[in-house]
Amino acid sequence: MDVLTENFAIYGKGFLGTLELTVYASLLALVLGFLMASFRVAPVGSFRVFGTVWVTVLRNTPLTLLFFAVLLGLPRFGLVLPFQVFAVLALGCYTSAFICEVLRSGINTVPKGQGEAARSLGMSFGQTLGTVVLPQAFRSVIPPIGSTLIALAKNSAIAGAFSVNELLGTYKTLNELGYGIVWTFVWIAVGYLIITLSISALFHLLEKRYGVAR
């Protein structure tokens, strides 16, 4: 217990760092995932190709390699930002590919007649997708989206290797101070549990309120 009480500020800083990474990267992943899912079902061929390439490349690229590409590659092109922003970009873009596929699978569960009926009423593709298809699709994909964001929270640990303040990185400081590594990691694990269980509880409430009755 002394490891936590004597170093609460260090743990707190790391916990808040991981929490910020998770929140910002989740928002980015949801926005990009929605956009790419729209591209993948769009009637315009170039949009479908772009969405397919985005998902294929990111889903099959190791996250660590993507971190190297973003944090070390983008500055070579003159884009210099704080490392935390680069980490959010890497995490958000990577996770967006999985969010996209989750949403696309939900879109495929909506009967085609729903979209055809909307178009027969004169709705555009965007109106049909936003007001008819996606609200129904979202109800069926709440649990997998929650699982994907939980994975994002755990994946944020990679950011510590790139000088980004996050929870797992606190073990280096505490190890230098001479604390036992076992209890150091126990409290790190507790921090991740708090974040992941909070996400799980949030999506459980969303599923209970908006999910498809089974």
Side-chain angles (χ1 to χ4, degrees):
M1 194 69 182
D2 291 343
V3 179
L4 178 65
T5 56
E6 295 175 5
N7 301 280
F8 192 78
I10 296 175
Y11 274 114
K13 186 177 179 182
F15 179 84
L16 290 177
T18 294
L19 188 61
E20 287 181 359
L21 278 176
T22 301
V23 171
Y24 293 138
S26 295
L27 292 174
L28 179 61
L30 289 170
V31 171
L32 289 177
F34 164 76
L35 185 62
M36 291 304 129
S38 302
F39 281 6
R40 295 211 66 185
V41 298
V44 181
S46 57
F47 284 1
R48 292 198 302 272
V49 170
F50 183 87
T52 300
V53 171
W54 178 277
V55 170
T56 302
V57 170
L58 290 177
R59 287 185 72 191
N60 293 285
T61 300
L63 181 55
T64 304
L65 180 60
L66 186 60
F67 264 89
F68 275 112
V70 172
L71 274 78
L72 303 181
L74 291 182
R76 292 177 178 270
F77 295 95
L79 185 58
V80 180
L81 296 169
F83 274 14
Q84 186 175 24
V85 177
F86 282 135
V88 168
L89 288 174
L91 278 169
C93 290
Y94 177 79
T95 308
S96 71
F98 297 90
I99 295 290
C100 169
E101 290 302 274
V102 168
L103 286 172
R104 191 168 70 95
S105 68
I107 290 171
N108 289 335
T109 65
V110 178
K112 290 183 179 180
Q114 297 280 335
E116 293 172 355
R119 285 192 294 273
S120 69
L121 293 174
M123 289 187 178
S124 64
F125 170 75
Q127 290 173 324
T128 301
L129 190 65
T131 61
V132 178
V133 177
L134 276 177
Q136 296 181 69
F138 177 73
R139 296 179 62 201
S140 65
V141 298
I142 293 174
I145 287 178
S147 298
T148 303
L149 296 184
I150 286 172
L152 181 153
K154 294 184 288 186
N155 287 338
S156 68
I158 296 176
F162 297 89
S163 303
V164 176
N165 175 51
E166 53 80 44
L167 188 56
L168 183 61
T170 58
Y171 89 90
K172 299 175 185 176
T173 303
L174 295 175
N175 189 43
E176 292 171 357
L177 293 174
Y179 289 96
I181 196 167
V182 174
W183 282 106
T184 298
F185 277 109
V186 165
W187 290 113
I188 288 173
V190 169
Y192 278 106
L193 274 173
I194 292 172
I195 293 174
T196 55
L197 290 177
S198 297
I199 296 173
S200 179
L202 172 62
F203 276 83
H204 178 71
L205 290 174
L206 289 174
E207 183 184 12
K208 195 171 181 181
R209 185 180 179 101
Y210 300 108
V212 177
R214 303 188 185 279

